[in-house]
Amino acid sequence: MKLSQLRWFGHLARMNNDRYPKIAWQVRMEGKRSKGRPRQTWEQGIQDTMWERGIEWKEARMEGSL
């Protein structure tokens, strides 16, 4: 499952900026969250998986390939 997420992230990073999946990924919501521990975002999960595999976030986003 983690490999599939990394594969999708690589695809997403290479996408043109006018594609809907990339627009949805880049959107940042405003407002307050509810009390308690914040949920882990998809992006945080990708960062954790890349850390486990020794891939740096900036490197992956700039190159667009994993």
Side-chain angles (χ1 to χ4, degrees):
M1 189 161 104
K2 289 182 178 186
L3 183 59
S4 295
Q5 287 177 339
L6 288 176
R7 198 175 302 128
W8 173 248
F9 174 73
H11 179 67
L12 190 63
R14 291 186 304 271
M15 254 183 219
N16 292 332
N17 289 334
D18 59 344
R19 300 275 312 269
Y20 287 122
K22 186 142 187 186
I23 292 169
W25 174 53
Q26 293 173 340
V27 168
R28 299 294 181 240
M29 300 300 295
E30 293 183 16
K32 289 186 170 185
R33 291 186 173 205
S34 59
K35 284 185 174 182
R37 180 179 178 189
R39 292 183 183 168
Q40 183 171 353
T41 63
W42 179 79
E43 198 168 285
Q44 182 62 44
I46 293 295
Q47 286 178 341
D48 292 347
T49 301
M50 288 192 308
W51 182 81
E52 290 172 1
R53 295 175 183 265
I55 302 169
E56 291 188 24
W57 179 252
K58 290 180 182 179
E59 175 187 335
R61 288 196 65 191
M62 289 182 163
E63 291 180 10
S65 63
L66 297 171

